[in-house]
Amino acid sequence: MGASTPYDSGDDADPSLLANSRPGDNSEPLSVTDLSRSLKRVVEDRFGFVRMRGELSGVKRAASGHLYCSLKDEKSVIDGVMWKSAAPRLAFLPEDGLDVIATGKITTYAGRSKYQIVIERMELAGEGALLALLEKTKARLEAEGLFAPERKKPLPFLPQVIGVVTSPTGAVIRDILHRLHDRFPSRVIVWPVLVQGEGAKAQVSAAVRGFNALERGGSVPRPDLLIVARGGGSIEDLWTFNEEEVVRAIADSHIPVISAVGHETDTTLADFAADHRAPTPTAAAERAVPVRAELAAAIADLGARQMRCASRPVALGRERLDACAQRLPKPETLLQPAAQALDEATERQRRALVDRVGVGRAALDQVAARLAPSTLRWRVAQARERLDATRLAPAMLTSRLARAGERLDAGVTMLRSLDPRAPLKRGYALVFGPEGELVRSAGKAREAGTLRLEFADGQVSATTGDSAPAPAAPPPKPRRKSPPPPPGQGDLF
């Protein structure tokens, strides 16, 4: 007899090759799927609600939106999944190495014969885990350069419009408005947001980006400065301002941002990304605007200094002028030499006039002596004698007329030699074009076509090529002869 097997009924029966039903066996064999379903029902009924703590590992988000991860401790590992319907409710970004507490139910995955936890909610396991996540996020964003000093923008000295991103019902907005009113009343635009809880990070980042999207000159003015503010609280209360979405919105802002989150000892990632960090919301308002009274006093002081600067050179010039005036001599002292020289010149002029009158009188007496009536009569008699001795001889006139006639004959001879028509009598001719211009070459004659030839006894028309003959020009009018001189009178020329 062979050894009995676990499936033997205890009878001495040989093992068979085929599975056969035995007497008293009323259970059919289960399929793998049936067994997996049975295990799934048992596990889910037994562990329908569990809370477990572990370290995240292998975190990845599928394209479908589901989140897959593993939870582990020192000795064991369990797979976890969070469906896309629950993943948006996460208050933080899951990363490897975070210590979390997951709430959900245990189920099985028949495809691999494994069990896993379906996570409905995930929280950080204590403040230490929250700080660890904060440090990881800070290191990652700092490596991207979001906190670099060169990214910081200078704050405007006197902003005309200030945008405030905070809760509209808390004490923060009242403190900011009150402080701005005391220092320098400015226009404030409040963008109301949630500062903690679900949806807070989306509202804060949307507010910062919304202010930057405003157009200058639009119905809603674009702020010159932004204040992101919140009152004090625990690290969990302030976690909205550690979210990567909020930090990136502040870092990407083209408008300078002042971060005033929490009290002086509270520090968030928004403080590192902002252009300026204020310890409190009230301090943010003080940093945003100067004190108007101090500005007025400073302007008054500058005006007084300007007046002093303007009057100081005048006063110094007056002092120098007085000192110079004291060193100048008196006007009468300066004029005494000139007055003395004038008196001397006046005296010399008087004596010179007297002397000149005496000389003139002596000359007049000398001339008057020569103008005696007898002297005048003698000179008139001499002039008459010379006139009587002078006679007008005819030879003088004839000689002059002969010289003038010779000059006239020479001019007539020269005129005849220069007359352009004189050669015409010797057989030459003048050639004129259709416009009466003188033609001097054969090329010009061919271009003119119609020509007029002038001879000594008249004019003739001619053509070159196929040109038609030009009409003959009328003969020149004969010159009028001068009438002969009357008898007995010769021509002077």
Side-chain angles (χ1 to χ4, degrees):
M1 296 177 62
S4 63
T5 64
Y7 302 102
D8 290 342
S9 59
D11 299 334
D12 295 334
D14 294 332
S16 58
L17 183 60
L18 296 176
N20 296 317
S21 298
R22 291 179 172 81
D25 189 1
N26 57 0
S27 62
E28 294 293 333
L30 299 176
S31 65
V32 176
T33 301
D34 293 339
L35 181 58
S36 297
R37 290 175 179 174
S38 298
L39 289 174
K40 181 178 180 67
R41 286 193 298 268
V42 172
V43 171
E44 290 182 355
D45 291 343
R46 176 63 181 85
F47 301 99
F49 176 82
V50 294
R51 294 184 74 237
M52 59 183 304
R53 179 172 180 171
E55 180 182 338
L56 287 176
S57 175
V59 179
K60 63 179 181 180
R61 188 182 294 271
S64 60
H66 305 317
L67 180 68
Y68 297 94
C69 63
S70 296
L71 295 171
K72 65 180 181 178
D73 56 13
E74 294 81 358
K75 299 180 180 180
S76 304
V77 178
I78 183 174
D79 291 339
V81 60
M82 178 176 277
W83 306 125
K84 65 178 181 181
S85 59
R89 295 196 296 267
L90 283 172
F92 63 97
L93 182 64
E95 296 181 0
D96 291 353
L98 291 181
D99 192 12
V100 298
I101 295 177
T103 303
K105 65 179 180 179
I106 303 297
T107 184
T108 61
Y109 178 48
R112 294 184 181 178
S113 298
K114 297 175 64 175
Y115 64 90
Q116 62 185 7
I117 178 172
V118 178
I119 303 171
E120 298 292 339
R121 187 175 61 184
M122 187 184 298
E123 302 166 327
L124 293 172
E127 188 172 333
L130 200 60
L131 293 176
L133 177 60
L134 177 63
E135 290 301 324
K136 286 186 177 183
T137 306
K138 178 183 177 182
R140 180 163 48 82
L141 297 180
E142 188 173 10
E144 294 182 17
L146 267 64
F147 306 150
E150 55 269 18
R151 290 177 58 96
K152 308 296 183 183
K153 295 177 287 295
L155 302 183
F157 174 71
L158 188 60
Q160 300 296 319
V161 181
I162 300 175
V164 180
V165 179
T166 189
S167 173
T169 58
V172 172
I173 186 61
R174 293 195 297 271
D175 293 343
I176 292 176
L177 293 177
H178 179 71
R179 198 59 176 163
L180 290 176
H181 183 269
D182 290 344
R183 292 175 64 86
F184 201 106
S186 305
R187 183 171 183 179
V188 178
I189 301 177
V190 180
W191 194 304
V193 296
L194 293 174
V195 293
Q196 71 180 70
E198 184 177 354
K201 64 178 180 180
Q203 292 188 16
V204 173
S205 59
V208 175
R209 298 185 189 279
F211 273 130
N212 279 269
L214 293 176
E215 298 289 340
R216 294 192 180 276
S219 57
V220 179
R222 178 185 173 94
D224 302 314
L225 178 68
L226 295 183
I227 298 177
V228 179
R230 189 207 187 283
S234 64
I235 185 173
E236 186 177 359
D237 296 335
L238 304 179
W239 191 256
T240 298
F241 300 93
N242 291 321
E243 294 287 354
E244 182 177 351
E245 182 178 351
V246 175
V247 175
R248 290 188 181 276
I250 293 176
D252 295 339
S253 175
H254 298 290
I255 304 174
V257 180
I258 297 178
S259 175
V261 179
H263 296 303
E264 188 169 357
T265 57
D266 299 324
T267 302
T268 63
L269 297 183
D271 298 333
F272 294 101
D275 300 299
H276 180 78
R277 185 225 177 216
T280 61
T282 302
E286 293 177 354
R287 181 63 183 85
V289 295
V291 180
R292 183 171 60 177
E294 294 179 357
L295 288 180
I299 293 174
D301 180 63
L302 291 175
R305 291 172 59 186
Q306 185 180 19
M307 291 298 297
R308 289 195 298 270
C309 291
S311 60
R312 181 62 178 167
V314 177
L316 292 176
R318 185 179 291 108
E319 293 177 1
R320 295 191 185 97
L321 180 61
D322 294 340
C324 293
Q326 292 176 0
R327 293 183 178 88
L328 290 175
K330 295 182 179 180
E332 55 271 17
T333 304
L334 295 175
L335 295 177
Q336 283 176 356
Q340 185 177 359
L342 179 62
D343 294 339
E344 293 178 357
T346 302
E347 180 64 22
R348 287 198 303 270
Q349 184 181 20
R350 186 185 63 80
R351 291 196 300 268
L353 290 176
V354 172
D355 295 342
R356 184 70 181 87
V357 170
V359 173
R361 184 176 290 110
L364 180 62
D365 293 341
Q366 184 179 2
V367 173
R370 290 182 298 189
L371 292 178
S374 58
T375 302
L376 293 177
R377 284 192 296 271
W378 175 76
R379 295 191 66 177
V380 169
Q382 285 185 342
R384 183 176 289 112
E385 290 176 359
R386 287 195 299 272
L387 181 61
D388 293 340
T390 302
R391 292 290 184 269
L392 185 61
M396 297 176 62
L397 295 178
T398 57
S399 63
R400 294 187 66 179
L401 289 176
R403 288 196 300 271
E406 292 175 358
R407 289 197 298 271
L408 180 60
D409 293 339
V412 170
T413 303
M414 181 177 295
L415 180 61
R416 289 175 180 174
S417 65
L418 296 178
D419 185 6
R421 288 178 171 78
L424 300 182
K425 297 178 181 180
R426 297 196 298 271
Y428 294 97
L430 294 176
V431 182
F432 295 94
E435 301 295 333
E437 72 277 9
L438 187 64
V439 178
R440 293 183 173 85
S441 64
K444 293 291 185 178
R446 283 192 293 271
E447 292 178 2
T450 302
L451 302 175
R452 178 167 53 86
L453 306 179
E454 182 177 347
F455 296 92
D457 57 349
Q459 296 181 356
V460 176
S461 298
T463 59
T464 60
D466 299 334
S467 301
K477 296 180 180 180
R479 297 180 180 178
R480 295 181 60 186
K481 296 182 179 180
S482 300
Q489 181 178 352
D491 190 354
L492 295 178
F493 304 101

